[in-house]
Amino acid sequence: MPPPGSVARGIAASLMLARGRAEGVQAFAPSMDEARASFRAAAICLPLFLLLRAFGPGAAAAVDPARALIADILAYVCAWAGFAVASLPMAEAMGRRALWPRFIAAWNWSNLVQYVVLAALTVPAMLGLNGVVADLLGLAGLAYALWLQWFVTRAALMVSGLRAVAFVLLDFGIAVFLSGLVIRMAALG
């Protein structure tokens, strides 16, 4: 088995999970080294995140583009780290502490798939396609990302669907909070 955080293994496992194959979580060791190393996925996803932010809704609304970029990058880092920190007590409360490192590794690497799918489904809007089709593609990407988060949580933590929803809602709440913060920071003059 490649070392913890191996990019090739992370991508291969996340592609399995992306297709609904729960055995993808077995590619990740249930160790803190694996969890720590999986944050390499954040570095790989950063260019896609910046692309989505540059061409996404509200991209042109920033008063100071440099301030907006810094705010986006800070929120990006806080979202990745914040979810990991906030999800640990939830996993402990559900008696799944031992599975948490594997969960974080699977969650982090599955974010790569989410970013690729969201970027691919956003390309038509970037190329000028507006209206219902662009909106439906964006909605499809969001729905898939939420499903993938839910599926990875169920598979990695071996919890019920309802408990998996709690983790997805936690991530969504962190994202909404940070998005609002970024908008306020970028709008400052």
Side-chain angles (χ1 to χ4, degrees):
M1 182 184 285
S6 162
V7 172
R9 183 167 44 93
I11 291 171
S14 66
L15 290 174
M16 289 176 70
L17 292 164
R19 295 188 318 264
R21 295 182 54 199
E23 63 270 19
V25 298
Q26 299 307 315
F28 304 108
S31 71
M32 289 305 290
D33 284 343
E34 186 78 66
R36 273 190 292 276
S38 72
F39 283 90
R40 290 178 182 155
I44 295 168
C45 291
L46 182 59
L48 289 171
F49 168 79
L50 293 174
L51 177 77
L52 289 167
R53 293 298 292 158
F55 293 101
V63 172
D64 181 352
R67 182 188 303 262
L69 177 63
I70 291 168
D72 278 337
I73 292 172
L74 286 172
Y76 180 81
V77 170
C78 289
W80 281 75
F83 177 77
V85 169
S87 67
L88 179 57
M90 287 178 63
E92 286 177 338
M94 294 178 190
R96 299 294 193 256
R97 171 64 176 95
L99 298 174
W100 181 83
R102 175 176 280 160
F103 162 66
I104 288 300
W107 181 277
N108 284 344
W109 283 109
S110 70
N111 271 300
L112 178 59
V113 172
Q114 292 175 52
Y115 274 104
V116 168
V117 168
L118 289 170
L121 292 177
T122 304
V123 166
M126 289 181 208
L127 297 175
L129 178 67
N130 292 319
V132 174
V133 174
D135 291 344
L136 287 175
L137 288 173
L139 200 55
L142 178 60
Y144 176 76
L146 292 172
W147 171 82
L148 184 55
Q149 289 179 345
W150 175 84
F151 180 76
V152 166
T153 302
R154 283 196 66 197
L157 290 177
M158 294 188 278
V159 295
S160 70
L162 190 57
R163 286 185 171 199
V165 167
F167 286 89
V168 175
L169 289 175
L170 172 65
D171 183 57
F172 189 73
I174 291 169
V176 168
F177 171 76
L178 290 172
S179 178
L181 192 59
V182 164
I183 290 168
R184 284 190 294 282
M185 288 174 66
L188 295 175

